[in-house]
C-alpha cells in the first residue's frame, strides 16, 4: 500500500493564527475501509475557536495590505504545492474518506484548479466602476472584501469543498476560519501545512478541528467579528445555521443537499445513458450531492435500460480504495450503512422491487453492495430523500410532461441529468426543470469556472468562477460633489 512520504502533512491539532495548537481533549479519526483508528486529534476548545476568529480579524489588515498580485502569487504557490504533494494528499484523502485513490487524485487536482482560477481572478477584482449620476456629482462603486469568513465543510469531498470556499474568499481579500468534518479533518490540516509553505501569512487561513460541531458552529455563526458563514452540508444542518446567523445578520452561502433526477427518454443513446448513470450514481459510492438520486426512465425503453444497467453494475468492484481494481470504496461509517438498509427495507415494504445488491459487503469496513431498486413511485419515501449511497432507484414515465412533473416533485433543486437525442426537446424543457445545474447527455459537470449551486432547499449562493468570488465582496457606493 502507498505510504505518506512527507510526514509533515500529517497533523494532529488545529492550525490557528500561524501555530499548531494542542489541547487536552482528543477525538479519533477512523479509516472507513477497515474501521480502525487512523489518528487521535486534539479537540479545539471554545477559546481556541474564538482565538482563530480574532486572529482572522487582525490578519485582514495584513492580507489586504498586499496587492492583488501578491495575494494571487501566494495562491498560485499554494496550488503548485498541492500538485507537488498530489500523492501524499491523495493518500490522506483515501485513508480518511475511503474513495478510490484515482478519485482522490481527481478531487485534489480539481481543487487545485479552483485555487489556480482564483489566483488569476484575484488580480482583476477591485477596480472601481463609475456609476451614472447628476452632472455636479461623480459616483463610483467599489467592491470591498466582506471581512472574516467562517466555513463549515462536509466529509464527502474533504479537499475540494474546502478550497472552493477558501480560495475564493482569500482571493477577494477576506480571511478564513475553517471547520472541516470531524470524520475527515486530515486533508484540511494538510492543506493548512501547505498554506504555511506557500507563505500565506498567519491568521489568514486557520483550521479548527473537533468533534463537537454544534459548539464550534455556534461560535463560527455568532462571533461578532464574523462577517459571513459559508456552509456545505445537509439541508437540515444548513437550516439551523441560517437561524444562528440571522441573529447577527451574518451573510450566508449555503451549498446543501440534492435529489438529482436522471431522466432517460426513449430517443436517448442508451449505452451513453447507462455509462452516465454509473458515473452519476456510483462516484464516491454515491456519496455526492450531485449523485443521481431518482432515475426517471421512459416506460417504452425501461426494460432495456434496466437490463444494461444491471449488467454494468454487477461488473463494478467494491473494496479498499488503495487497490486500483476497485471502483467503489466504503461508505463513511456504520450509520451510513444502516441508513442504506433502512432505505431499502422501507422501499421494498412500499412496493419497490430489489433487482441487485441490497446488503453490506461481508468484510471489515463499511462497504455496501451496489443496489438496484425498480417500481419506484413518487409516493414512496425513497423518492423524496437524499440517498447518499450506492442505491439506484428507478421510476418510469410515459411522456415528456410527466417526466418534467416528476423531476420537479422535490424540495431540492441542486442538479439533474437529461438523456435524449432530440434537440427540440432539450430546448423545450431545460428551462422547465427546477435545477441549479443540468448535465445533458453527460454526467460529468464539474468545472471550476461554472456556478456550482442549487435552488429551492438545495441552498443559496454559488461557488466557482467569478460567481464564487462575488460571494465574498460587498459594494460600496461613493458619491462626491464636484
Ligand atoms: P452535515 O451533517 O450537514 O455536516 C456538514 C458539516 O456540518 C460537517 O462539518 C459537520 O460537522 C457540520 N455540522 C453538523 N452539525 C452541525 C451543527 N449543529 N452546527 C454546526 N456544524 C454542524 O452533512 P454531511 O453528512 O457531512 O454531508 C452530506 C451532505 O452535504 C449531503 O446532504 C450533501 O448533499 C451535502 N453536500 C452538498 C454539497 C453542495 O455543493 N451543495 C456538496 C457536498 C455535500 P461534523 O461532521 O464534525 O459533525
Amino acid at each position: 500500500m502507498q505510504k505518506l512520504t512527507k510526514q509533515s502533512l500529517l497533523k494532529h491539532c488545529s492550525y490557528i493564527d500561524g501555530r499548531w495548537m494542542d489541547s487536552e481533549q482528543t477525538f479519533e479519526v477512523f479509516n472507513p475501509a477497515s474501521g480502525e483508528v487512523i489518528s487521535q486529534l486534539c479537540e479545539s476548545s471554545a477559546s481556541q475557536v474564538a482565538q482563530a476568529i480574532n486572529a482572522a480579524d487582525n490578519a485582514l489588515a495584513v492580507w489586504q495590505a498586499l496587492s492583488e498580485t501578491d495575494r494571487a502569487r501566494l495562491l498560485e504557490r499554494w496550488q503548485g504545492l498541492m500538485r507537488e504533494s498530489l500523492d501524499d494528499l491523495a493518500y490522506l484523502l483515501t485513508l480518511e474518506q475511503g474513495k478510490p485513490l484515482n478519485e482522490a487524485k481527481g478531487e485534489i487536482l480539481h481543487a487545485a484548479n479552483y485555487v489556480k482560477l482564483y489566483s488569476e481572478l484575484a488580480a482583476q477584482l477591485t477596480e472601481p466602476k463609475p456609476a451614472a449620476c447628476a452632472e455636479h456629482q461623480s459616483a463610483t462603486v467599489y467592491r470591498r472584501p466582506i471581512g472574516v469568513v467562517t466555513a463549515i465543510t462536509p466529509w464527502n469531498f474533504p479537499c475540494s469543498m474546502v478550497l472552493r470556499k477558501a480560495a475564493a474568499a482569500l482571493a477577494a481579500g477576506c480571511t478564513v476560519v475553517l471547520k472541516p468534518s470531524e470524520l475527515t479533518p486530515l486533508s484540511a490540516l494538510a492543506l493548512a501545512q501547505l498554506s504555511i509553505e506557500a507563505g500565506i501569512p498567519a491568521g489568514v487561513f486557520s483550521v479548527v478541528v473537533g468533534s463537537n460541531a454544534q459548539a464550534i458552529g455556534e461560535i463560527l455563526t455568532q462571533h461578532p467579528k464574523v462577517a459571513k458563514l459559508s456552509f456545505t452540508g445537509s439541508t437540515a444542518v444548513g437550516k439551523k445555521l441560517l437561524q444562528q446567523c440571522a441573529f447577527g445578520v451574518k451573510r450566508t452561502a449555503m451549498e446543501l443537499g440534492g435529489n438529482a433526477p436522471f431522466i432517460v427518454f426513449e430517443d436517448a443513446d442508451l449505452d451513453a445513458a447507462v455509462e452516465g448513470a454509473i458515473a452519476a450514481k456510483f462516484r464516491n459510492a454515491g456519496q455526492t450531492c450531485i449523485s443521481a438520486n431518482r432515475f426517471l426512465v421512459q416506460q417504452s425503453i425501461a426494460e432495456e435500460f434496466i437490463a444494461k444497467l444491471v449488467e454494468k453494475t454487477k461488473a463494478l468492484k467494491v473494496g479498499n480504495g488503495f487497490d486500483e481494481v476497485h471502483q467503489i470504496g466504503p461508505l463513511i461509517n456504520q450509520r451510513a450503512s444502516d441508513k442504506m438498509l433502512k432505505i431499502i427495507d422501507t422501499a421494498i415494504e412500499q412496493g419497490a422491487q430489489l433487482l441487485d445488491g441490497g446488503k453490506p459487503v461481508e468484510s471489515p469496513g463499511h462497504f455496501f453492495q451496489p443496489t438496484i431498486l425498480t417500481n419506484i413511485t413518487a409516493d414512496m419515501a425513497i423518492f423524496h430523500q437524499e440517498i447518499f449511497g450506492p442505491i439506484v432507484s428507478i421510476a418510469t414515465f410515459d411522456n415528456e410532461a410527466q417526466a418534467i412533473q416528476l423531476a420537479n416533485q422535490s424540495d431540492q433543486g441542486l442538479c439533474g441529468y437529461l438523456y435524449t437525442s432530440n434537440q427540440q426537446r432539450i430546448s423545450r424543457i431545460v428551462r422547465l426543470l427546477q435545477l441549479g445545474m443540468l448535465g445533458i447527455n453527460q454526467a460529468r459537470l464539474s468545472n471550476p469556472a461554472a456556478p456550482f449551486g442549487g435552488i429551492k432547499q438545495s441552498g443559496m449562493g454559488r461557488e466557482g468562477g467569478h460567481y464564487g468570488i462575488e460571494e465574498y465582496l460587498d459594494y460600496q457606493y461613493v458619491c462626491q460633489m464636484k
Side-chain angles (χ1 to χ4, degrees):
M1 194 199 282
Q2 189 188 331
K3 291 273 176 251
L4 192 68
T5 55
K6 187 171 164 182
Q7 291 300 322
S8 62
L9 291 178
L10 181 59
K11 296 296 181 193
H12 303 280
C13 59
S14 298
Y15 174 66
I16 297 170
D17 198 10
R19 283 182 298 146
W20 299 99
M21 303 278 257
D22 278 343
S23 68
E24 300 262 294
Q25 276 196 330
T26 58
F27 66 102
E28 290 173 333
V29 180
F30 297 90
N31 177 349
S34 65
E36 289 164 1
V37 174
I38 303 168
S39 183
Q40 300 261 356
L41 266 65
C42 298
E43 290 268 3
S44 294
S45 63
S47 65
Q48 286 178 343
V49 179
Q51 192 182 344
I53 294 170
N54 284 322
D57 188 52
N58 291 334
L60 281 172
V62 178
W63 191 234
Q64 290 170 13
L66 296 177
S67 68
E68 286 81 22
T69 320
D70 284 342
R71 289 204 296 263
R73 199 166 32 79
L74 295 176
L75 290 176
E76 166 71 26
R77 243 191 249 159
W78 199 15
Q79 65 88 35
L81 289 166
M82 286 175 63
R83 291 178 206 275
E84 281 171 27
S85 307
L86 179 62
D87 287 344
D88 279 342
L89 291 176
Y91 169 81
L92 288 174
L93 207 164
T94 294
L95 191 67
E96 65 177 350
Q97 202 277 337
K99 67 180 63 176
L101 198 60
N102 65 340
E103 276 190 35
K105 285 184 184 170
E107 177 182 339
I108 290 153
L109 291 174
H110 184 57
N113 288 342
Y114 273 99
V115 185
K116 172 102 183 122
L117 177 83
Y118 283 119
S119 75
E120 289 160 6
L121 291 179
Q124 307 163 18
L125 273 178
T126 48
E127 289 159 17
K129 294 220 165 49
C133 59
E135 262 182 28
H136 63 283
Q137 297 172 331
S138 74
T140 314
V141 178
Y142 296 87
R143 294 156 95 197
R144 310 285 191 204
I146 59 175
V148 174
V149 171
T150 54
I152 300 180
T153 51
W155 48 265
N156 62 339
F157 288 91
C159 190
S160 59
M161 294 302 108
V162 168
L163 291 169
R164 226 163 59 172
K165 298 180 188 311
L170 297 182
C174 298
T175 55
V176 175
V177 177
L178 165 77
K179 189 209 86 71
S181 169
E182 65 167 307
L183 303 174
T184 57
L186 300 178
S187 296
L189 293 172
L191 292 174
Q193 172 61 28
L194 294 180
S195 79
I196 301 172
E197 294 170 26
I200 293 178
V204 169
F205 177 67
S206 291
V207 180
V208 294
V209 295
S211 62
N212 193 342
Q214 185 174 334
I216 298 174
E218 279 169 11
I219 305 169
L220 296 182
T221 50
Q222 290 173 17
H223 193 289
K225 288 181 178 162
V226 172
K228 172 157 186 160
L229 168 75
S230 179
F231 173 71
T232 298
S234 61
T235 299
V237 172
K239 286 179 185 179
K240 281 190 203 160
L241 297 175
L242 277 170
Q243 283 179 342
Q244 289 171 205
C245 286
F247 190 68
V249 197
K250 311 285 189 202
R251 305 292 183 90
T252 56
M254 293 278 146
E255 296 285 347
L256 307 178
N259 184 357
F262 188 106
I263 310 167
V264 187
F265 281 98
E266 61 190 0
D267 53 28
D269 173 340
L270 282 199
D271 290 326
V274 168
E275 196 188 313
I278 296 282
K281 180 71 245 182
F282 295 116
R283 188 164 69 108
N284 201 12
Q287 304 170 112
T288 88
C289 55
I290 59 170
S291 286
N293 207 58
R294 293 171 294 153
F295 284 81
L296 308 175
V297 183
Q298 195 152 16
Q299 184 64 53
S300 52
I301 46 101
E303 200 180 325
E304 190 183 351
F305 175 82
I306 290 167
K308 283 174 185 272
L309 187 61
V310 169
E311 189 192 331
K312 288 271 182 198
T313 302
K314 280 186 188 298
L316 293 170
K317 295 206 162 42
V318 182
N320 194 311
F322 284 112
D323 185 339
E324 63 186 20
V325 300
H326 297 135
Q327 292 102 10
I328 302 185
L331 296 177
I332 189 68
N333 54 21
Q334 188 59 43
R335 205 155 59 111
S337 182
D338 294 345
K339 180 184 159 192
M340 292 309 115
L341 279 177
K342 193 155 179 237
I343 289 175
I344 293 165
D345 286 349
T346 308
I348 292 172
E349 262 170 41
Q350 294 180 341
Q353 191 185 352
L354 179 67
L355 286 195
D356 195 28
K359 293 199 181 82
V361 175
E362 283 181 22
S363 72
H366 309 297
F367 299 97
F368 203 94
Q369 297 172 342
T371 296
I372 298 187
L373 291 168
T374 57
N375 289 359
I376 302 298
T377 53
D379 55 359
M380 293 181 183
I382 192 171
F383 193 87
H384 300 281
Q385 78 188 110
E386 189 179 30
I387 297 170
F388 231 58
I391 302 174
V392 174
S393 132
I394 304 178
T396 57
F397 64 86
D398 291 321
N399 56 46
E400 190 176 295
Q402 201 188 2
I404 296 165
Q405 188 268 328
L406 283 170
N408 290 340
Q409 204 174 329
S410 170
D411 290 339
Q412 314 297 121
L414 185 59
C415 166
Y417 305 90
L418 172 62
Y419 278 77
T420 172
S421 58
N422 182 336
Q423 190 54 47
Q424 285 175 334
R425 191 199 300 282
I426 292 171
S427 313
R428 232 177 6 249
I429 71 176
V430 163
R431 69 185 173 81
L432 299 178
L433 290 171
Q434 297 163 358
L435 300 166
M437 299 175 285
L438 178 62
I440 299 178
N441 296 325
Q442 55 134 358
R444 294 181 199 280
L445 291 176
S446 291
N447 169 5
F452 191 104
I455 59 172
K456 298 182 174 174
Q457 292 191 25
S458 289
M460 54 182 98
R462 292 293 184 270
E463 292 184 337
H466 67 85
Y467 315 93
I469 220 163
E470 298 287 343
E471 296 283 335
Y472 302 103
L473 292 167
D474 265 336
Y475 290 102
Q476 184 181 38
Y477 158 60
V478 176
C479 183
Q480 186 173 351
M481 186 70 86
K482 278 186 183 165

